[in-house]
C-alpha cells in the first residue's frame, strides 16, 4: 500500500498549536518569527538549539523594522525596490500586511484544499509511471507549510521539507548570501499567487517514471536510429528554450538537491526561480538508477543573475508553464576514469533514456540540456554530451545544448556538425565511443580526446 503525506492538519497533537500560533495576529517581524518558532518547536522532535532571538536573527534583520503596509501592491512584485538584496521597510511592510496573511490562510484552509490524501511517489520497479496532480492553490498550500516550518520531521520520506535551513543561513550574513535571493523569490512567488498573477488553471503534474526497458550494450551498438539534430548555444541558459522544449534538471538523486540549504547551482537555481518545483521535494523520495521525474505546469516567477555565491534575485518574470525532467548523474569525484567503463556508460545512457522516453511536453519535443553531471560531479563534458545525444536520438528528440560558456565545450559544434553531415547513426556513435574507452591508457587525458577520436573515426 502506498504511503501518503501527513499534512499538519492530520497531526491532532500539533494542529491546535499551529492554528493558535497563526490566528489573530498583527504581523510584525517579531510576531512572524515567534509563530515560525512555536510551530517548528511543536512539529520537530528534540529541538535543542540556540535561543529563538539568535536562531532567527538573520531573518529578523532581513525583514527590517516593524512598519505598516501602504501604497501600491504592484510595486512589490513589479517595480520592486530591492537594494543589494535588502528589502526596504515599504516592501517588508507590504509582505507582512498582505502576503503573510495570505500564506496563513493557505495553512488554515488545508482541510478544505486537500479533501483527499496526497500519495507519496516512492520507488516502485513494478510501475512504469506514477502521477500526482496539484492545483495551483494546493501547490501554494504545501509551500506555505514549508514557509512556517509546519511539516513534522517524519511526515514524508526525509527531513528538510521546511524553509528553516534558508532562514538559519541568514544568521551569518544577509548581503552576498544566495539564500537571501531565494527568500526574495519565495516572497515574490506568494505575492504573485495572492494577486492571481499566475496561470491559475494550469495544474502542477508530477510524474515519476521507471524504465521498464533496460537498453544493454548490444541495444545501443545495434541501434538503427539516426542522430537527431543538435544545436549548440554558447550563450543563454536552458530556461531560454521556452515552453515547447523539455528542460533538463541536473538533479541530485534526492530531487531539489541543496535548494533548501545553501546550494545554488543549476538544479537549485531552477527550483528557486520556479518555486512550484519545490513540491517535488515533499512528495518524492530518492531516485533509483532507472528513474526520472517529470514536472509539468510549473512556471517561472523570478529573474536571476549569477551562480552559486553570486546568485541574486533580479525581479519579476512572467512566462508560460514549462516541462522539466529531473535526471541524476553519477558522481565521479575522485574516480573520474570510471565513467569510461561500460557499466557507468550504460547507467548514464539509460538514465537519460528514461528521462527523454515519454510524450512530455509533446512527442518529439527538443531536449534543452547542457553540462549534465559535470562540474562538482566530475563528469567529462565531451563524453556526457554524446551520451545525452544518443539517448535523445533513440527517443526521436533533437537536442538544444547550452554550453554555459565552459571552455571544455570547445569543438562540440564542429564534431556534432560533422556527425550530422555523415548521417551517423546511434550504433555508429556508440561503437566509436566504446572503442575509444577501450583504448584509454593510464596517462591519457580522455576528457579532451573524445572529440578528436570521433573526428578521426568519421572524417573521410
Amino acid at each position: 500500500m502506498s504511503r501518503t503525506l501527513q499534512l499538519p492538519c492530520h497531526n491532532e497533537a500539533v494542529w491546535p498549536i499551529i492554528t493558535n500560533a497563526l490566528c489573530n495576529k498583527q504581523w510584525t517581524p517579531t510576531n512572524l518569527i515567534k509563530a515560525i518558532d512555536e510551530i517548528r518547536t511543536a512539529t520537530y522532535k528534540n529541538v535543542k538549539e540556540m535561543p529563538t532571538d539568535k536562531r532567527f536573527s538573520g531573518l529578523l534583520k532581513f525583514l527590517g523594522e516593524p512598519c505598516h503596509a501602504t501604497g501600491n501592491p504592484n510595486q512589490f512584485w513589479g517595480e520592486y525596490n530591492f537594494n543589494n538584496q535588502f528589502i526596504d521597510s515599504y516592501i517588508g511592510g507590504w509582505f507582512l500586511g498582505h502576503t503573510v496573511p495570505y500564506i496563513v490562510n493557505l495553512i488554515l484552509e488545508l482541510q478544505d484544499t486537500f479533501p483527499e490524501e496526497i500519495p507519496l511517489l516512492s520507488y516502485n520497479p513494478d510501475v512504469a509511471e506514477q502521477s500526482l496532480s496539484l492545483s495551483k492553490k494546493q501547490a501554494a498550500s504545501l509551500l506555505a507549510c514549508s514557509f512556517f516550518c509546519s511539516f513534522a520531521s517524519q511526515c514524508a520520506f526525509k527531513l528538510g521539507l521546511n524553509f528553516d535551513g534558508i532562514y538559519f543561513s541568514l544568521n551569518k550574513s544577509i548581503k552576498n548570501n544566495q539564500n537571501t535571493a531565494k527568500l526574495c523569490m519565495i516572497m515574490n512567488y506568494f505575492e504573485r499567487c495572492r494577486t492571481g498573477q499566475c496561470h491559475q488553471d494550469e495544474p502542477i503534474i508530477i510524474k515519476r517514471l521507471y524504465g521498464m526497458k533496460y537498453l544493454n550494450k548490444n541495444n545501443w551498438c545495434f541501434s538503427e536510429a539516426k542522430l537527431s539534430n543538435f544545436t549548440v548555444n554558447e550563450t543563454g541558459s536552458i530556461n531560454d528554450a521556452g515552453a515547447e522544449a523539455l528542460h533538463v534538471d541536473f538533479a541530485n538523486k534526492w530531487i531539489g538537491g541543496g535548494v533548501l540549504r545553501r546550494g545554488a547551482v543549476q538544479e537549485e537555481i531552477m527550483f528557486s526561480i520556479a518555486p512550484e518545483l519545490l513540491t517535488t521535494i515533499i512528495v518524492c523520495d530518492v531516485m533509483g538508477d532507472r528513474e526520472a521525474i517529470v514536472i509539468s505546469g510549473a512556471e517561472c516567477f523570478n529573474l536571476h543573475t549569477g551562480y552559486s555565491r553570486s546568485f541574486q534575485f533580479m525581479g519579476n518574470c512572467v512566462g508560460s508553464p514549462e516541462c522539466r525532467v529531473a535526471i541524476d548523474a553519477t558522481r565521479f569525484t575522485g574516480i573520474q576514469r570510471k565513467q569510461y567503463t561500460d557499466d557507468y556508460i550504460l547507467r548514464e545512457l539509460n538514465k537519460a533514456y528514461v528521462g527523454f522516453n515519454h510524450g512530455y511536453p509533446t512527442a518529439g519535443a527538443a531536449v534543452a540540456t547542457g553540462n549534465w553531471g559535470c562540474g562538482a560531479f566530475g563528469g567529462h563534458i565531451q563524453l556526457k554530451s554524446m551520451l545525452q545525444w544518443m539517448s535523445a536520438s533513440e527517443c526521436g528528440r533533437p537536442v538544444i545544448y547550452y554550453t554555459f560558456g565552459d571552455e571544455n565545450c570547445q569543438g562540440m559544434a564542429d564534431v556534432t556538425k560533422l556527425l550530422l553531415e555523415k548521417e551517423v547513426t546511434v550504433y555508429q556513435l556508440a561503437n566509436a565511443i566504446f572503442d575509444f574507452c577501450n583504448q584509454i591508457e593510464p596517462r591519457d587525458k580522455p576528457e579532451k580526446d573524445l572529440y578528436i577520436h570521433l573526428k578521426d573515426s568519421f572524417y573521410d
Side-chain angles (χ1 to χ4, degrees):
M1 184 176 179
S2 62
R3 292 178 58 187
T4 57
L5 177 67
Q6 184 187 43
L7 292 169
C9 58
H10 297 155
N11 190 330
E12 295 181 358
V14 173
W15 185 237
I17 299 173
I18 294 175
T19 56
N20 182 66
L22 296 178
C23 286
N24 303 317
K25 286 287 192 302
Q26 177 69 39
W27 293 106
T28 65
T30 301
N31 285 342
L32 177 60
I33 288 170
K34 181 181 179 182
I36 291 173
D37 188 65
E38 288 178 359
I39 294 170
R40 182 177 180 275
T41 301
T43 54
Y44 281 26
K45 294 181 179 179
N46 302 319
V47 176
K48 295 179 180 179
E49 296 165 330
M50 64 187 77
T52 304
D53 59 338
K54 295 185 178 180
R55 187 155 62 235
F56 293 102
S57 60
L59 181 59
L60 183 64
K61 185 178 180 181
F62 175 89
L63 291 170
E65 295 300 321
C67 55
H68 297 288
T70 58
N72 181 0
N74 290 334
Q75 187 162 341
F76 175 83
W77 65 268
E79 297 296 326
Y80 68 99
N81 186 17
F82 282 70
N83 179 19
N84 295 323
Q85 300 296 297
F86 288 88
I87 60 173
D88 65 8
S89 59
Y90 173 88
I91 295 177
W94 186 268
F95 179 72
L96 292 165
H98 296 270
T99 318
V100 170
Y102 167 76
I103 300 172
V104 168
N105 285 335
L106 287 173
I107 297 177
L108 297 178
E109 295 170 1
L110 281 174
Q111 291 169 313
D112 294 330
T113 305
F114 294 97
E116 299 178 355
E117 292 184 321
I118 306 171
L120 296 173
L121 306 182
S122 58
Y123 176 81
N124 188 343
D126 297 323
V127 179
E129 180 180 300
Q130 303 175 65
S131 184
L132 172 65
S133 180
L134 298 169
S135 68
K136 287 285 185 179
K137 182 177 181 181
Q138 287 177 326
S141 298
L142 293 179
L143 299 187
C145 293
S146 295
F147 182 87
F148 272 98
C149 300
S150 57
F151 280 120
S153 56
Q154 299 299 326
C155 70
F157 295 112
K158 61 170 185 171
L159 298 173
L161 303 183
N162 297 317
F163 293 164
D164 48 349
I166 294 177
Y167 302 152
F168 291 168
S169 75
L170 303 178
N171 292 345
K172 293 184 178 180
S173 173
I174 296 177
K175 190 175 182 179
N176 299 324
N177 186 329
Q178 58 267 42
N179 281 351
T180 301
K182 293 178 191 176
L183 189 50
C184 292
M185 292 177 179
I186 290 168
M187 292 167 62
N188 189 47
Y189 161 72
F190 280 122
E191 179 65 6
R192 286 274 300 277
C193 290
R194 185 189 74 83
T195 55
Q197 305 206 30
C198 57
H199 292 79
Q200 298 185 70
D201 297 329
E202 184 82 18
I204 313 300
I205 300 175
I206 305 168
K207 294 183 179 291
R208 186 174 185 132
L209 308 179
Y210 181 84
M212 306 300 283
K213 179 182 179 183
Y214 179 83
L215 301 183
N216 59 30
K217 187 174 181 178
N218 283 338
N219 294 135
W220 293 102
C221 290
F222 288 95
S223 170
E224 295 290 342
K226 286 188 176 182
L227 290 176
S228 59
N229 191 44
F230 194 105
T231 304
V232 178
N233 288 331
E234 296 181 356
T235 59
S237 70
I238 291 171
N239 298 320
D240 298 327
E244 297 78 17
L246 176 66
H247 297 210
V248 177
D249 166 21
F250 306 165
N252 189 286
K253 63 182 179 179
W254 285 101
I255 191 168
V259 66
L260 298 185
R261 298 184 297 279
R262 294 188 65 87
V265 290
Q266 194 263 1
E267 179 174 41
E268 290 87 355
I269 291 173
M270 181 179 283
F271 279 52
S272 297
I273 64 176
E276 290 162 329
L277 296 174
L278 296 171
T279 57
T280 60
I281 299 174
I282 298 170
V283 300
C284 296
D285 72 344
V286 63
M287 281 188 279
D289 284 344
R290 293 165 63 176
E291 289 190 297
I293 297 172
V294 175
I295 313 102
S296 62
E299 59 189 286
C300 183
F301 288 84
N302 305 294
L303 297 174
H304 82 283
T305 188
Y307 189 84
S308 189
R309 292 185 179 182
S310 66
F311 180 55
Q312 291 187 345
F313 170 59
M314 294 301 290
N316 198 50
C317 175
V318 179
S320 300
E322 296 167 342
C323 185
R324 301 166 177 89
V325 60
I327 50 174
D328 58 299
T330 302
R331 184 183 291 273
F332 290 111
T333 308
I335 55 168
Q336 294 184 0
R337 282 183 173 267
K338 287 192 175 182
Q339 64 192 285
Y340 293 94
T341 60
D342 287 4
D343 287 347
Y344 283 112
I345 287 174
L346 291 171
R347 191 273 181 192
E348 305 298 78
L349 282 169
N350 278 279
K351 170 64 72 167
Y353 179 74
V354 174
F356 305 157
N357 189 31
H358 51 77
Y360 314 109
T362 57
V367 172
T369 188
N371 306 328
W372 172 59
C374 304
F377 271 37
H380 291 163
I381 287 175
Q382 293 191 7
L383 177 62
K384 276 294 204 299
S385 60
M386 295 298 100
L387 298 183
Q388 290 185 85
W389 192 12
M390 289 167 58
S391 295
S393 300
E394 192 69 21
C395 299
R397 293 181 182 267
V399 174
I400 306 171
Y401 196 103
Y402 293 88
T403 67
F404 303 100
D406 195 309
E407 62 181 14
N408 292 305
C409 294
Q410 186 174 358
M412 183 183 296
D414 291 338
V415 75
T416 53
K417 180 181 178 182
L418 173 65
L419 269 56
L420 288 171
E421 288 176 347
K422 299 299 182 182
E423 297 185 345
V424 173
T425 62
V426 168
Y427 88 81
Q428 289 175 304
L429 179 55
N431 280 287
I433 290 174
F434 283 117
D435 178 61
F436 171 79
C437 294
N438 290 333
Q439 296 178 34
I440 295 175
E441 298 291 340
R443 294 187 179 182
D444 289 345
K445 294 182 178 181
E447 67 272 19
K448 297 183 180 296
D449 294 339
L450 177 57
Y451 286 170
I452 296 173
H453 174 80
L454 294 177
K455 285 182 179 181
D456 292 342
S457 298
F458 295 105
Y459 190 78
D460 291 337

